[in-house]
Amino acid sequence: MKIAISGKGGVGKTTFAANFAQWLSNKKITVLAVDADPDASLGTVLGISDEVLANLKPIVDMKELIEERMGGSGTYYPLNPNVDDILDDYSIPLGDLRFFRMGNIKGGGTSCYCKENSFLRALVNSLILGEKDTVILDMGAGIEQLTRGTALGVDVLVIVTEPSRVSVQTVKVIQQLAGELGIPRVVVVGNKVRNSKDEKFLRDHIPSEQLVGIIPYSDELLEMSLNTGCVELPGGSLGVELNTIYQRIVDEGR
């Protein structure tokens, strides 16, 4: 199963992605946690040390590797380079979970980045279409990566939102783009909900069939975003709610 996590910046999508990946791993499911966010914070939340992360160069920045797979530095290059072995060579094992850092795709108004774009698209497609177990793809904040098509091939797109008009508007834009990309299932998770007013706001703006769960504001989850050790899933009522949400997302992808 291939699951992409998206949403406006600051809504807690990376913490959600890390917890989701750990939840799957705890069920003895082999998980590939892919950091596709230019901010590159998924590895930190998963508990990978700064020293290890500092030595893990993003794939898109590996000029020699890209040149090798793209056929040198000439004008012409393959649109579908061979990237099948890169997963094993450049991922970090964490038990049943493996971490992989892709890096950023250069945006508009910059120098030509065509080879890197083509290489990274091929890599994403290889991960998404070839992984036998579960891929959790932590997307960059907002809509930029969806417009580049990096979410093509996923089974479920999860949009994390907080109870604000700006965040909900981002949800609507992402949903529209996801529809244009042909993503089969798009669901929404409400996060950082402080009270019944916040919950009502989300339920008023997001159809019930799309809203798979609401996560209350939690200092425990906030601490996880600053985590320097291994991810430990919350207990109590919060843990029950997260378990329900994760199971619903898995069920949506079947």
Side-chain angles (χ1 to χ4, degrees):
M1 185 180 300
K2 298 83 184 176
I3 302 167
I5 314 295
S6 184
K8 177 182 171 294
V11 298
K13 67 175 185 61
T14 296
T15 302
F16 181 87
N19 276 281
F20 195 3
Q22 188 62 56
W23 180 82
L24 289 163
S25 179
N26 288 350
K27 292 181 175 296
K28 301 304 179 182
I29 297 171
T30 301
V31 182
L32 179 63
V34 181
D35 195 340
D37 188 340
D39 290 337
S41 56
L42 180 61
T44 300
V45 181
L46 284 170
I48 301 173
S49 69
D50 291 341
E51 291 77 14
V52 172
L53 288 173
N55 291 322
L56 184 65
K57 193 173 183 180
I59 287 294
V60 77
D61 290 341
M62 294 183 181
K63 183 175 178 59
E64 291 183 1
L65 174 65
I66 294 173
E67 292 289 354
E68 174 192 340
R69 299 307 171 88
M70 299 303 291
S73 57
T75 303
Y76 300 100
Y77 53 88
L79 295 178
N80 296 295
N82 182 14
V83 295
D84 292 341
D85 63 320
I86 290 177
L87 173 60
D88 291 331
D89 291 343
Y90 296 99
S91 62
I92 296 175
L94 298 168
D96 288 314
L97 189 154
R98 287 178 293 167
F99 173 75
F100 185 84
R101 183 179 174 193
M102 290 197 308
N104 191 17
I105 306 176
K106 191 172 292 188
T110 57
S111 59
C112 180
Y113 215 35
C114 299
K115 279 191 177 182
E116 288 84 348
N117 282 349
S118 182
F119 177 84
L120 194 51
R121 286 193 192 98
L123 184 57
V124 171
N125 287 336
S126 176
L127 298 176
I128 288 176
L129 300 177
E131 185 67 14
K132 294 179 180 179
D133 296 292
T134 300
V135 176
I136 299 293
L137 185 66
D138 184 25
M139 307 289 288
I143 65 173
E144 189 176 32
Q145 285 187 315
L146 279 176
T147 64
R148 290 170 175 148
T150 53
L152 279 168
V154 303
D155 298 300
V156 183
L157 175 64
V158 181
I159 309 173
V160 181
T161 184
E162 58 188 7
S164 71
R165 292 190 179 277
V166 174
S167 186
V168 168
Q169 180 57 36
T170 300
V171 170
K172 304 299 183 185
V173 175
I174 293 174
Q175 286 174 325
Q176 179 178 347
L177 290 171
E180 294 171 359
L181 288 170
I183 297 175
R185 295 296 301 156
V186 181
V187 298
V188 181
V189 173
N191 193 27
K192 300 182 181 180
V193 176
R194 295 177 179 269
N195 49 47
S196 59
K197 182 179 178 181
D198 283 353
E199 181 173 346
K200 183 178 185 302
F201 175 85
L202 289 175
R203 295 193 184 280
D204 285 346
H205 288 82
I206 300 171
S208 58
E209 65 271 17
Q210 298 174 5
L211 189 62
V212 294
I214 290 179
I215 304 171
Y217 179 87
S218 166
D219 288 333
E220 187 175 2
L221 289 178
L222 180 61
E223 286 296 322
M224 285 182 182
S225 67
L226 306 174
N227 178 62
T228 56
C230 295
V231 172
E232 293 185 6
L233 297 177
S237 60
L238 177 59
V240 171
E241 180 62 31
L242 288 172
N243 182 81
T244 300
I245 291 171
Y246 297 148
Q247 189 61 57
R248 285 176 179 170
I249 294 170
V250 170
D251 291 342
E252 287 283 352
R254 290 172 177 166

